[in-house]
Amino acid sequence: MVELSPEQISICDDHGPLSVMACAGSGKTRTTVRRLADMRINQVGSRARLALLSFSNAAVDTFREDYQRLLEEHPAAAAMPLVEIDTVDSFITSLVLRPHAHRTMQSPRCAFLVTGTEPFLGGFNFYDGARNQPVKLLTHAREGGLDRFRFRNGYAMTDVATAEAIKAVNRLGKTGAYTHDLGRYWAYRTLVETPELTQALSRRYPFILIDEAQDVVSTQEAIFDLLIQAGSQLSMIGDANQAIFEFVGATGEFLARYGKRAGVTSRGLTVNFRSVPRIVAVANALTARNDTWARAAPAELNGAFFAGYAQNEPAKLIETFRNMIATAGLKDSDAAVVCRSASLVKRFGGADEAVGQGVVRSLVEATIARDQLGKHPEAFKIVLRCIVALLADAHGDVTSKITRGGAEVAGLRRTIWSFVRDTENGLPHGALLADTEWHPKLVKNVKALLADLKSRYGLEPCDTIGQRLKKAALPHAGLFQTPDLAAPDVVALRTETVHQVKGESIDAVLYVASKPHTAEMLAGVATEDGRIGYVALTRARNLFLLGLPINSLAELRPALLARGFLEAGA
């Protein structure tokens, strides 16, 4: 796709409040970036800022790159008003939480994010009606005015008495700490209790565009409503059928309702530029939409297929998928295995289960992530949590500082990254015998790292390092099985959850699901599991293979064939 389609042009040319329902693969990114550039060009000479917000760092990076390329084509770019491209949470955090929320929280320090692993959180709990629970499990949703919040135990998905929840939230807030979920609560309260701040933000950002708007949760909706009431003009683009974060309160309802508001124009994107016709046809059958396709079917194998797998033989399904990739003329490096659950990711990705206890178990997970799965960023995040757990309670905000970045923590971040990468002086290699080789080396290197952090950055270690680094439950074996060096080179298939590949375009996709998840997918997109199946399907450009338990084939085969799936090998 080089030129914009008529649907995309109509969206770019309309600079008023919009609600755009877009099908998968419809060029949302290209359309949004072009509309942003058109709006900026139209506002030359204005001091107003435009904000483009999404929900993942990968999407933000793509927007920034595409937007910069568009601006390079316009010689007057330097004279245009400023544009900010960021995630929704980062936008709210940088403008509301960090500079202003501490007053609402009654905290003497700047608000900071906690992940739940910080040692000082041990005494911060809430009563869920049966027992005390760690505050990291407390979640909320807005259901009306300022005091209309519903609190839940996010793990058990049970309601928590509002008075008990508020007491726990306020107690944590007085330290300046907030979790990902409670950060939105404090941002909303700050804007409500500081109307002059809401007015200032609205004047600064009179135009706000939200990508992947189906992922807006209730408190974010309330925050944007405050900005709209103060004068900001909001446009949203997304696909309600891709609302797969319902477990955190993102149902897609805000996007669906917004188009019905007075003064808001509803538009749609109905052409799929990503997938081959057979995949689009199956997607239409699942969603009851009538989207069209722009691509012609290739001569090679293509479309949506299904195959059964035995629970104890995942390798056979992977082999079937590899054979189909080869027949389709595609590359293993351009394919992915996506799973409905983390347990299936481990089974089909070949990752061994982590062993050990406490901090050591987490460091085992980091080692597996780095050495077996090749996921260095994930290893870094795990190691960072472990290092913070080994520091004194006074340093509970280190994770937040490093995550935010900045010059003041650049050296500290490099030090921890060096520890993650260095198998000799840092995190030992997972092929070592866990109890007699890997663990002694780990303890030595961790203690050296903590001494370095104290010397260079003033970070005091805790008093129980030895106890927290015990070698309990470590086997006399490597942390994972090393490959046979005599075997021919085989490219490892990327293996992720569906949530991790949302927004991507992948040549060939194997979606591994259980019988209930497959049944939900075939029933349509009314449920979250149905939408997750739809998202997995629509990531695929040429080839999609649904893997389901072999003992459910007989029951589900008629429905699969009726939706347009083909049986692999039939």
Side-chain angles (χ1 to χ4, degrees):
M1 182 177 63
V2 177
E3 300 299 327
L4 295 180
S5 70
E7 285 181 332
Q8 294 169 333
I9 291 173
S10 69
I11 291 170
C12 293
D13 289 345
D14 188 339
H15 296 170
L18 289 182
S19 173
V20 181
M21 284 287 192
C23 71
S26 58
K28 293 190 294 291
T29 298
R30 180 181 179 85
T31 305
T32 304
V33 170
R34 180 58 64 89
R35 183 173 189 261
L36 183 71
D38 287 353
M39 291 181 68
R40 175 167 174 169
I41 293 169
N42 189 58
Q43 295 291 326
V44 171
S46 169
R47 299 178 62 185
R49 296 187 179 213
L50 291 81
L52 170 56
L53 309 177
S54 193
F55 287 85
S56 71
N57 291 325
V60 167
D61 290 342
T62 300
F63 278 130
R64 287 173 177 168
E65 292 170 4
D66 289 357
Y67 181 68
Q68 189 57 42
R69 281 196 292 267
L70 279 177
L71 287 190
E72 289 172 357
E73 301 172 3
H74 201 287
M80 298 177 191
L82 294 176
V83 166
E84 294 189 19
I85 302 175
D86 214 335
T87 65
V88 171
D89 280 339
S90 180
F91 180 78
I92 293 171
T93 299
S94 61
L95 295 172
V96 181
L97 272 174
R98 283 192 212 134
H100 303 289
H102 67 280
R103 289 185 289 272
T104 302
M105 299 165 81
Q106 300 181 18
S107 169
R109 66 187 343 187
C110 175
F112 63 93
L113 174 69
V114 292
T115 63
T117 60
E118 292 78 3
F120 83 93
L121 291 178
F124 288 88
N125 302 305
F126 66 93
Y127 185 68
D128 69 351
R131 60 182 61 87
N132 284 331
Q133 301 287 357
V135 72
K136 68 178 181 180
L137 299 181
L138 188 61
T139 64
H140 82 288
R142 181 179 173 274
E143 295 184 332
L146 174 61
D147 298 322
R148 293 287 301 279
F149 288 97
R150 178 185 184 185
F151 291 91
R152 310 191 81 183
N153 178 338
Y155 178 77
M157 298 304 290
T158 54
D159 289 339
V160 177
T162 301
E164 288 291 335
I166 291 291
K167 182 171 66 174
V169 172
N170 288 341
R171 181 168 176 255
L172 178 65
K174 289 180 179 179
T175 71
Y178 64 87
T179 63
H180 280 291
D181 185 275
L182 296 180
R184 301 172 188 130
Y185 168 86
W186 285 116
Y188 174 70
R189 277 195 54 183
T190 300
L191 290 176
V192 168
E193 296 177 16
T194 320
E196 62 273 19
L197 173 60
T198 307
Q199 289 287 343
L201 288 178
S202 177
R203 287 193 297 270
R204 188 178 186 184
Y205 299 97
F207 304 102
I208 301 174
L209 286 72
I210 303 179
D211 172 57
E212 300 289 356
Q214 73 276 356
D215 294 335
V216 174
V217 299
S218 61
T219 308
Q220 291 169 339
E221 175 183 349
I223 290 171
F224 289 122
D225 270 336
L226 290 174
L227 293 174
I228 291 171
Q229 292 166 18
S232 292
Q233 176 183 293
L234 182 70
S235 292
M236 301 200 298
I237 183 169
D239 180 3
N241 294 326
Q242 295 189 54
I244 62 173
F245 292 96
E246 187 174 329
F247 60 93
V248 295
T251 62
E253 293 177 3
F254 183 34
L255 173 63
R257 290 195 306 266
Y258 187 64
K260 300 175 183 178
R261 292 190 182 188
V264 178
T265 303
S266 292
R267 297 189 184 276
L269 291 174
T270 61
V271 181
N272 187 316
F273 295 92
R274 174 187 298 151
S275 302
V276 295
R278 289 176 179 172
I279 292 178
V280 178
V282 172
N284 284 340
L286 298 179
T287 60
R289 287 176 61 97
N290 192 30
D291 299 315
T292 57
W293 49 83
R295 293 184 58 197
E300 297 81 9
L301 180 71
N302 69 90
F305 299 82
F306 67 92
Y309 68 88
Q311 298 284 351
N312 59 345
E313 294 181 326
K316 289 188 176 181
L317 181 61
I318 296 294
E319 182 181 1
T320 297
F321 184 47
R322 285 186 184 275
N323 290 336
M324 294 179 72
I325 293 171
T327 304
L330 305 174
K331 299 178 180 178
D332 287 357
S333 57
D334 297 325
V337 179
V338 299
C339 304
R340 176 61 186 86
S341 66
S343 60
L344 286 173
V345 169
K346 289 183 177 180
R347 185 188 309 168
F348 283 84
D352 295 81
E353 291 286 341
V355 294
Q357 295 179 354
V359 173
V360 171
R361 180 180 177 86
S362 295
L363 290 169
V364 169
E365 292 175 351
T367 304
I368 292 174
R370 181 195 64 188
D371 296 337
Q372 190 174 16
L373 302 179
K375 297 182 178 180
H376 285 71
E378 181 177 338
F380 173 81
K381 292 178 182 178
I382 298 172
V383 169
L384 175 59
R385 293 200 305 267
C386 293
I387 296 303
V388 173
L390 296 173
L391 296 176
D393 291 353
H395 304 304
D397 61 345
V398 168
T399 301
S400 176
K401 290 180 179 178
I402 293 179
T403 302
R404 292 201 306 264
E408 71 277 9
V409 295
L412 177 57
R413 188 180 180 90
R414 283 195 297 269
T415 299
I416 297 177
W417 262 114
S418 297
F419 180 86
V420 172
R421 293 192 181 103
D422 190 347
T423 58
E424 186 59 36
N425 300 303
L427 189 64
H429 197 280
L432 298 175
L433 293 176
D435 58 346
T436 59
E437 296 176 342
W438 181 85
H439 181 263
K441 197 170 187 178
L442 173 77
V443 173
K444 174 186 173 184
N445 293 349
V446 167
K447 288 182 176 180
L449 173 64
L450 292 174
D452 187 37
L453 295 180
K454 179 179 179 180
S455 172
R456 296 170 61 187
Y457 306 106
L459 299 176
E460 292 286 342
C462 68
D463 297 327
T464 56
I465 294 175
Q467 183 179 354
R468 298 185 187 190
L469 292 178
K470 293 187 299 185
K471 71 173 182 179
L474 288 177
H476 187 63
L479 296 177
F480 56 85
Q481 297 296 316
T482 56
D484 183 358
L485 298 179
D489 291 337
V490 177
V491 176
L493 291 174
R494 173 189 174 196
T495 308
E496 307 277 10
T497 64
V498 179
H499 293 80
Q500 290 171 316
V501 300
K502 182 173 175 287
E504 294 190 33
S505 180
I506 306 169
D507 282 355
V509 172
L510 165 60
Y511 174 46
V512 184
S514 66
K515 177 183 176 181
H517 296 148
T518 303
E520 292 282 356
M521 177 184 183
L522 294 174
V525 290
T527 64
E528 185 176 31
D529 281 330
R531 294 190 292 271
I532 288 173
Y534 168 76
V535 169
L537 169 72
T538 54
R539 298 313 92 202
R541 296 187 69 252
N542 286 42
L543 182 66
F544 177 81
L545 175 62
L546 169 64
L548 65 158
I550 198 166
N551 57 8
S552 63
L553 270 180
E555 179 180 344
L556 296 178
R557 182 182 282 111
L560 286 163
L561 295 174
R563 300 297 187 278
F565 286 93
L566 302 175
E567 187 161 7

